[in-house]
Amino acid sequence: MWRKPFTVMFGGQAGYGIMSAGALVAKAGARNGLWAFVVNEYPSLIKGGLNTCIVSFDANPVKAYEERLDFLCALSQEALDQNYNKLDRGAAVLYDSDAVKPDRDKVPQAVTLYPVKLIGSLSGETAKVMANSAMLGAFCALSGFPIEKIADIMKTGFIKAKVLQQNLTLLYQTFDQTRSLFAEEKTFPLSFQADGNRKMLLNGNDAIAMGAIKAGVKFAAGYPMTPGSSVLTYLADHAVEYGLVFKQAEDEIAAVNMLIGAGFAGVRALGSTSGGGFALMTEALGFAAQAEVPLVIVNAQRGGPSTGLPTRTAQADLNFVVHASQGEFPRIVMAPGDVEECFFETFQLFNLVEKFQVPGIILTDKYLADSSIVHPYFEDGDLRVDRGALVDESWLNDNQPYLRYRAAEDGVSPRAIPGQMKGRHIATSYTHGEDGFYSSGNREYAAQEPEITAAGLDKLFAKVPGILQEIQGVKLHGPQAAELTIIGWGSSKGAILEAITAVNQTGRTVNFLQVLYLSPFPAEAVQAVLQGSKRTLLIEGNKTGQLGAMIRTYTGLSMEEVYLKYDSRPFTPALIIEKIKEVLL
Amino acid sequence: MEDLKNSYVPTWCIGCGNYGIWNAWKKAFMSLNLDPEQTALVTGIGCSSKIAQYLNTYRIETLHGRSLPVATGVKLANHQLTVIAEGGDGDGMGLGIGHFIHTARRNLDITYLIHNNQIYGLTKGQSSPTSDLGIVTKFTPPPRGNVEQPINIVQTALQAGASFVARSTAADPKLAEIIAQAIKHKGFSVIDILQPCVSFNHVNTYKWYQERVYAVSELSDYDPTDYTKATAVAAQWGDKIPTGVIYAAERMTYESSLPQLAVQTLSIQSIEAIIVTPLMDELA
């Protein structure tokens, strides 16, 4: 029922260029009219262990990864041992004849094995650096993937001419050698034709960082934590070019407080981390809310609890993130489902946090953060920066005395920044009145404490209706009316979309309610859809159905069917199709 | 001077050393003729950090121990500002010790004033990271009192790489001058200000400090640019406590090492219509 894309897996030890091989073929495809989805899986190790990179190619955009392989390139024994059961009928297995010994009993029927001397033809360090070129040469010979397209990409990827030449030589040598060993198979089913559309290969973290740059982020701070770090690396790489500063902090507590300082001083600030780092940031999250300092933090989730699984995926920080920090205050939590939303909603979130002077959190995960996709250029011409109630000096001059936290119906007070004339004020983590002062600082002030406290919280929460009005809290994908409505959030979007498209082609109707903004919770929008749903299926990457509980809390509605996956690997279309079938039977 | 005050009367105890620091702060500020609109004061939490409530510059009163990272963010966002961080010994040497060491290492142009009363005052009398050995507090009862080695702020600052390190007392008539020097210094400046807590520290009193402090300038040929000599002097604590500018040296500031700041201050950059097409080209 579902035509899966052509899927190739490159596997081998860390350090052998597995991931760059995958990126290379994906780019080669992208420049020649193909679409691709690239998923890296790797343990938290620097050397050794099994690294795999799965690339799925299709003539149409690919939204999710699938583990049924058409082609496996195994540079190490583990790369074959752990993947026998993923080989599809008719699959080809290329393996290093020196390093890998196949177990014939485990090879599925109608799978062909191709032993080729890959690493063994090289010596020492060269083997590591160049093994992937040998592998790609053999892959092209066996699959029919055009070798010159690979060579073209290599030519733009190496800085040193000598290294490039060595790799190209090896690529073609292995290609010729493999051709002489095996009759040409040409299993690659897609034709290469540049379609003139400009496409890029990028992952969720690239898209978030690019969206932040477009939004004018000027300051970023963080402490390295997989899989959140690459947002920061991206910003560090482009800091001088875009006139921004990235500061590596001593820990996440320092990082988030730096963001608050920068936000207070009037620049757009971004941090990026994973659950453990976010845990350290939580006290300051409340401080940002209390002092009404805008900032954005990325939490790229990984398996947990605690240090959990550094390089694997999960959607289990939802409860934590929407409730993080002591006391009560609104924050905006956005969970992008694909790179498109990573880019555009990150841009939008920077506008929102300044308009409402609240902290914002981008809740992504390893699968989205780290998986690359061939995607058209973002059409960003209509994006407009909106800095909300950030005032200028002439406004300040006309509005004296200036009260930073002046009561306002929508909870948003005009914001001055250090350096501006007549805007001096105090921002504080203490409960405070309109001028930022607080009760333990003055006896007269203390007498009004109960009123100031209640008014302060009312002011923070007065922002919620405005936020709900501005966010696109949910998206309904597929037919308006359906036999089954799937509810989910975040990175499972692609797999769910692929699955419902396939199922709907068979004459059944399934739609998908994606909750894009999780806090403040878009209760009315969720309720409007679910009340009209015939049957419901909740899909989440956690053990306890956290979104389901939120829906129950805010709407009183319970999901009828639940599909929870918490084995540290992402949902795939095939798994979801299977579940849909089970529910619709 | 009037411009730096606001209408609120401090809630510090009568006789508290914070008053002396508050006055010296204002004097230093006036003597340098600084613009309060161009100044950001960043404090932590505690009695000393309340000073942010009683001065009329741009101010941000942060979380316990976190003044320095916040000050770092402020300074990098707008390096034209005069940035002063301030707080107590508990705030800065307890929760904040890691930030203190790293901020010193970075040498941002920030002045850090530490009100060091060797006790936790606002939580009513627990030991602090600078409490002397043997001192009896609510959390360090008799017979042994405090058994942990106190942190010597001056020594720690020097070792961490602060480019200006001084010590003074809340009652020192020279305090204002030292603060002014610290603000003028380009780089991370630390002043350990010995400040009696009249309510909870009955050992380290005005008298106790007065009997022990001496000015390093009284030493024959003391040279505050001599790191080796400064570290030797900094180690002193007890019967003799050195005060004054103990170390001052030129060192490149963190912000001056960033080419992007040489082009333009972050906070005044226009962020309208930033073009990211080149970023997309890189990924094509």
Side-chain angles (χ1 to χ4, degrees):
Chain A
M1 68 200 272
W2 173 57
R3 175 76 195 95
K4 104 179 155 48
F6 180 86
T7 300
V8 53
M9 175 192 275
F10 300 100
Q13 288 193 6
Y16 280 82
I18 297 300
M19 293 174 194
S20 52
L24 215 146
V25 292
K27 267 197 182 180
R31 286 200 195 163
N32 294 282
L34 296 185
W35 301 84
F37 195 97
V38 184
V39 176
N40 295 311
E41 286 292 351
Y42 48 94
S44 185
L45 284 171
I46 294 173
K47 289 181 178 172
L50 175 62
N51 278 14
T52 63
C53 178
I54 293 185
V55 188
S56 300
F57 288 103
D58 199 16
N60 298 305
V62 191
K63 296 191 180 74
Y65 108 126
E66 190 59 73
E67 289 201 320
R68 300 299 300 165
L69 307 177
D70 297 290
F71 206 112
L72 170 64
C73 299
L75 276 185
S76 73
Q77 188 66 42
E78 285 169 309
L80 181 56
D81 287 350
Q82 295 188 21
N83 294 298
Y84 285 117
N85 60 355
K86 292 175 187 157
L87 295 167
D88 216 346
R89 208 180 155 74
V93 177
L94 159 71
Y95 64 92
D96 187 335
S97 53
D98 292 334
V100 184
K101 296 282 167 267
D103 181 345
R104 302 276 164 183
D105 296 339
K106 288 186 179 164
V107 180
Q109 276 195 335
V111 166
T112 320
L113 299 177
Y114 298 97
V116 178
K117 206 173 173 71
L118 297 172
I119 303 175
S121 64
L122 311 158
S123 62
E125 276 305 297
T126 331
K128 281 196 177 173
V129 183
M130 294 172 49
N132 58 359
S133 295
M135 178 175 71
L136 289 174
F139 166 68
C140 288
L142 294 166
S143 70
F145 194 100
I147 190 166
E148 70 279 9
K149 306 294 182 198
I150 302 262
D152 286 348
I153 303 284
M154 276 190 176
K155 283 171 192 163
T156 57
F158 288 95
I159 296 161
K160 287 184 184 162
K162 192 184 158 201
V163 180
L164 169 65
Q165 204 44 56
Q166 286 174 331
N167 276 280
L168 283 175
T169 306
L170 187 60
L171 177 78
Y172 281 102
Q173 259 176 16
T174 326
F175 179 83
D176 292 340
Q177 182 199 343
T178 311
R179 273 282 178 84
S180 68
L181 286 170
F182 306 101
E184 198 178 350
E185 293 277 347
K186 285 210 176 169
T187 52
F188 198 76
L190 303 160
S191 60
F192 285 73
Q193 221 160 29
D195 56 7
N197 291 330
R198 291 194 297 178
K199 286 184 278 188
M200 47 190 173
L201 178 71
L202 82 172
N203 65 31
N205 277 358
D206 295 334
I208 287 171
M210 201 189 289
I213 290 175
K214 177 72 192 171
V217 69
K218 288 293 151 202
F219 183 77
Y223 183 85
M225 185 166 185
T226 308
S229 314
S230 61
V231 171
L232 303 171
T233 312
Y234 190 106
L235 293 173
D237 281 346
H238 295 91
V240 173
E241 185 188 342
Y242 279 93
L244 59 92
V245 168
F246 163 66
K247 181 77 210 78
Q248 180 179 344
E250 54 271 25
D251 53 39
E252 286 88 348
I253 298 174
V256 65
N257 281 287
M258 287 177 187
L259 301 180
I260 291 174
F264 168 71
V267 308
R268 290 189 161 186
L270 177 75
S272 181
T273 184
S274 189
F278 188 79
L280 290 175
M281 294 180 173
T282 55
E283 189 195 17
L285 190 73
F287 169 31
Q290 180 74 280
E292 301 189 50
V293 173
L295 53 81
V296 174
I297 300 166
V298 180
N299 176 359
Q301 298 162 96
R302 60 196 227 182
S306 193
T307 309
L309 294 151
T311 63
R312 312 295 183 191
T313 204
Q315 293 185 305
D317 291 355
L318 175 58
N319 279 342
F320 173 48
V321 160
V322 300
H323 298 295
S325 201
Q326 70 271 36
E328 304 166 285
F329 59 87
R331 83 281 311 269
I332 304 175
V333 178
M334 184 274 288
D338 52 29
V339 294
E340 181 91 359
E341 286 165 355
C342 284
F343 179 78
F344 288 99
E345 297 299 332
T346 295
F347 182 92
Q348 167 75 352
L349 189 58
F350 272 100
N351 280 348
L352 291 169
V353 297
E354 283 209 318
K355 280 180 85 168
F356 294 99
Q357 300 173 16
V358 294
I361 297 152
I362 300 172
L363 188 57
T364 172
D365 59 41
K366 186 264 168 189
Y367 176 56
L368 176 57
D370 215 19
S371 301
S372 297
I373 188 166
V374 172
H375 194 279
Y377 274 33
F378 296 125
E379 292 188 6
D380 61 352
D382 293 336
L383 296 178
R384 297 283 172 270
V385 165
D386 182 349
R387 306 210 59 182
L390 192 59
V391 298
D392 60 18
E393 289 185 351
S394 83
W395 185 95
L396 285 165
N397 203 38
D398 296 343
N399 289 275
Q400 292 293 320
Y402 170 64
L403 292 174
R404 167 66 184 91
Y405 301 102
R406 187 186 289 278
E409 215 158 293
D410 62 357
V412 180
S413 325
R415 183 162 71 103
I417 57 166
Q420 288 181 322
M421 294 286 287
K422 299 191 177 179
R424 278 181 279 169
H425 64 270
I426 180 163
T428 175
S429 60
Y430 282 103
T431 294
H432 54 265
E434 288 184 276
D435 59 357
F437 207 74
Y438 71 102
S439 56
S440 71
N442 181 265
R443 288 182 181 83
E444 289 159 34
Y445 217 90
Q448 312 159 43
E449 188 174 85
E451 292 80 9
I452 287 168
T453 305
L457 277 171
D458 286 343
K459 178 183 190 296
L460 294 185
F461 278 89
K463 299 173 182 186
V464 173
I467 299 171
L468 282 170
Q469 207 159 14
E470 294 243 347
I471 59 175
Q472 188 183 1
V474 303
K475 288 183 181 176
L476 184 65
H477 306 272
Q480 280 290 318
E483 293 169 76
L484 176 70
T485 298
I486 292 175
I487 303 104
W489 60 281
S491 71
S492 54
K493 178 183 180 182
I496 296 172
L497 289 179
E498 293 274 15
I500 67 169
T501 305
V503 173
N504 289 339
Q505 278 167 5
T506 67
R508 308 301 297 258
T509 50
V510 185
N511 59 14
F512 167 42
L513 178 66
Q514 178 197 0
V515 187
L516 180 58
Y517 282 80
L518 292 142
S519 187
F521 193 74
E524 278 182 32
V526 169
Q527 193 157 19
V529 173
L530 293 187
Q531 271 174 344
S533 300
K534 292 207 175 84
R535 300 195 71 180
T536 51
L537 167 63
L538 175 75
I539 294 186
E540 283 191 78
N542 58 54
K543 168 87 181 152
T544 54
Q546 299 182 15
L547 174 64
M550 281 176 78
I551 293 173
R552 232 176 4 260
T553 301
Y554 288 102
T555 70
L557 299 167
S558 294
M559 301 303 99
E560 290 163 39
E561 303 284 343
V562 174
Y563 180 19
L564 303 174
K565 193 171 191 291
Y566 42 89
D567 61 356
S568 79
R569 297 300 192 276
F571 288 97
T572 64
L575 289 169
I576 294 171
I577 290 169
E578 211 175 303
K579 182 70 191 178
I580 293 171
K581 279 190 197 161
E582 189 189 308
V583 172
L584 287 181
L585 266 182
Chain B
M1 182 78 94
E2 277 313 298
D3 196 34
L4 276 172
K5 283 206 308 207
N6 56 33
S7 59
Y8 297 110
V9 180
T11 47
W12 293 319
C13 305
I14 293 166
C16 175
N18 281 322
Y19 288 101
I21 301 171
W22 187 42
N23 284 324
W25 202 107
K26 288 183 279 190
K27 252 189 237 171
F29 205 81
M30 299 310 288
S31 76
L32 293 172
N33 204 18
L34 290 175
D35 180 354
E37 313 274 2
Q38 295 291 334
T39 301
L41 170 62
V42 186
T43 67
I45 293 295
C47 291
S48 50
S49 290
K50 280 191 196 177
I51 197 166
Q53 298 276 342
Y54 313 124
L55 288 165
N56 196 12
T57 64
Y58 277 97
R59 293 146 290 149
I60 178 161
E61 190 175 18
T62 70
L63 296 168
H64 199 31
R66 312 303 170 201
S67 62
L68 288 175
V70 175
T72 299
V74 173
K75 186 70 188 181
L76 290 171
N78 185 348
H79 65 285
Q80 307 292 342
L81 297 174
T82 299
V83 178
I84 299 168
E86 198 156 356
D89 47 303
D91 186 74
M93 298 298 118
L95 287 101
I97 185 80
H99 306 313
F100 176 64
I101 287 170
H102 290 284
T103 311
R105 206 160 69 75
R106 285 174 195 134
N107 201 37
L108 284 128
D109 185 16
I110 292 171
T111 303
Y112 186 32
L113 311 182
I114 305 166
H115 302 213
N116 181 5
N117 59 15
Q118 304 183 256
I119 196 87
Y120 281 82
L122 201 54
T123 50
K124 303 194 173 167
Q126 297 82 9
S127 65
S128 116
T130 59
S131 290
D132 285 323
L133 281 171
I135 195 169
V136 170
T137 73
K138 278 190 179 154
F139 279 9
T140 55
R144 299 192 56 193
N146 176 41
V147 296
E148 290 179 37
Q149 195 66 35
I151 288 173
N152 177 330
I153 294 174
V154 165
Q155 207 177 15
T156 308
L158 265 178
Q159 283 177 358
S163 55
F164 180 103
V165 185
R167 184 186 280 126
S168 187
T169 68
D172 184 355
K174 289 213 171 95
L175 177 59
E177 200 185 308
I178 294 175
I179 295 175
Q181 269 182 277
I183 293 173
K184 267 199 295 188
H185 174 79
K186 289 271 168 244
F188 189 59
S189 314
V190 180
I191 312 177
D192 176 16
I193 307 170
L194 304 176
Q195 174 230 347
C197 172
V198 292
S199 296
F200 294 104
N201 188 334
H202 303 299
V203 177
N204 309 108
T205 60
Y206 283 101
K207 190 161 171 280
W208 192 91
Y209 289 129
Q210 218 163 34
E211 284 167 0
R212 288 163 174 81
V213 295
Y214 75 94
V216 287
S217 57
E218 289 163 15
L219 297 170
S220 63
D221 70 353
Y222 189 79
D223 175 8
T225 65
D226 183 339
Y227 184 79
T228 313
K229 200 170 268 177
T231 51
V233 167
Q236 290 180 355
W237 181 268
D239 292 342
K240 282 175 81 76
I241 301 174
T243 60
V245 178
I246 291 166
Y247 183 66
E250 296 277 315
R251 188 151 72 82
M252 185 154 95
T253 62
Y254 184 88
E255 57 272 30
S256 64
S257 72
L258 299 173
Q260 56 271 55
L261 293 188
V263 178
Q264 202 175 33
T265 305
L266 301 184
S267 66
I268 61 168
Q269 286 189 38
S270 164
I271 59 168
E272 312 292 332
I274 290 170
I275 310 288
V276 293
T277 316
L279 297 177
M280 296 195 245
D281 291 337
E282 279 177 18
L283 298 167

